[in-house]
Amino acid sequence: MRDAIYFQEELRRRFPAAHSRLCAEIDEQYRAIAPDVAFARLSSNPMDRRLDFCSYFLATILILERHGESPETIRDTCLAVTRAFVQPRNSWQRWLRQLPAKLMGTPVVALMARVMQAKTGRKGHEDGFLVQVVTSPAETHGLGYGFDILECGIVKLFRKHGAGQYVTVLCEVDELTSALAGLELVRGGTLARGASRCDFRFRHLPPKR
């Protein structure tokens, strides 16, 4: 997996003595999970394509759990990997991350919302995602853009492998990525916690002084 280096570096830092063995076991577990997400690469729903990366998360969680690591250690490890992965590498990437917030409320975002609905409003696979885009200003804090995940491929994948309790770790990542984009994520619930949807609503973060 192309982005496995982010996992490997964090495992080396946290578990220096067992690092090589853990990485080998995780790679083996990832290959075992791979058939469950093989559809994602060619899915008509672009949301499904994140399942390959998430399957490596799942492999990491399952192996750490098998080695007796606590849920807290597993959560902290996964969040550390994610922070390293999403951080902009340079000023250009930082600008790109903040561009959506700058475009909120413009015709460009309205067009993007229509395109996103067309691509993600239908399931590409039964085990994938289903999304409803929301454009009503009254429902989106005046920004004209939000979305609801009605079916989550990550929840389905993790539950299939007996790791449903760890999906909430990846839900925490949404707040981090939103903040990097200059937005506050306003959420009422998630599928992982038993809600009927994962609602993504946003507000502009105040400018840093």
Side-chain angles (χ1 to χ4, degrees):
M1 207 269 294
R2 183 182 62 183
D3 297 312
I5 186 172
Y6 293 97
F7 295 83
Q8 293 164 1
E9 289 178 351
E10 185 60 27
L11 290 169
R12 184 182 293 110
R13 188 181 73 82
R14 288 177 178 264
F15 312 102
H19 161 260
S20 297
R21 179 161 52 92
L22 287 173
C23 288
E25 291 182 22
I26 290 168
D27 284 343
E28 183 179 358
Q29 182 69 61
Y30 167 70
R31 288 191 292 271
I33 296 169
D36 293 335
V37 297
F39 69 88
R41 294 186 182 89
L42 299 176
S43 175
S44 59
N45 188 325
M47 289 285 287
D48 292 347
R49 289 166 204 163
R50 64 181 60 188
L51 288 174
D52 184 55
F53 185 69
C54 292
S55 66
Y56 207 89
F57 261 111
L58 175 58
T60 301
I61 288 166
L62 292 175
I63 295 303
L64 290 179
E65 190 175 51
R66 192 176 301 164
H67 280 269
E69 297 297 335
S70 68
E72 293 77 15
T73 296
I74 294 173
R75 172 185 174 275
D76 290 346
T77 302
C78 290
L79 288 177
V81 169
T82 304
R83 290 189 193 99
F85 178 72
V86 302
Q87 286 298 325
R89 302 290 177 267
N90 50 51
S91 57
W92 170 246
Q93 289 185 0
R94 190 173 297 108
W95 181 83
L96 283 177
R97 289 282 172 84
Q98 295 175 352
L99 184 60
K102 299 179 189 300
L103 294 175
M104 285 292 186
T106 70
V108 174
V109 168
L111 175 60
M112 289 171 55
R114 289 196 294 273
V115 171
M116 181 177 177
Q117 182 60 52
K119 290 182 175 293
T120 65
R122 291 179 296 178
K123 286 193 288 186
H125 190 276
E126 189 60 33
D127 291 333
F129 286 83
L130 180 64
V131 178
Q132 176 67 52
V133 177
V134 181
T135 57
S136 165
E139 296 181 54
T140 57
H141 303 282
L143 295 181
Y145 176 76
F147 58 93
D148 295 330
I149 295 182
L150 305 179
E151 295 187 28
C152 176
I154 302 171
V155 170
K156 296 173 186 177
L157 177 66
F158 276 50
R159 286 178 176 169
K160 181 176 182 177
H161 289 270
Q165 70 272 29
Y166 290 104
V167 182
T168 56
V169 176
L170 296 181
C171 296
E172 293 183 54
V173 174
D174 297 328
E175 297 181 12
L176 174 60
T177 54
S178 298
L180 287 171
L183 297 168
E184 175 192 4
L185 176 61
V186 183
R187 172 180 278 167
T190 64
L191 292 163
R193 294 189 183 276
S196 61
R197 60 181 180 169
C198 302
D199 55 332
F200 286 72
R201 302 294 186 272
F202 305 97
R203 285 195 289 249
H204 282 294
L205 286 171
K208 293 182 179 180
R209 296 175 180 257

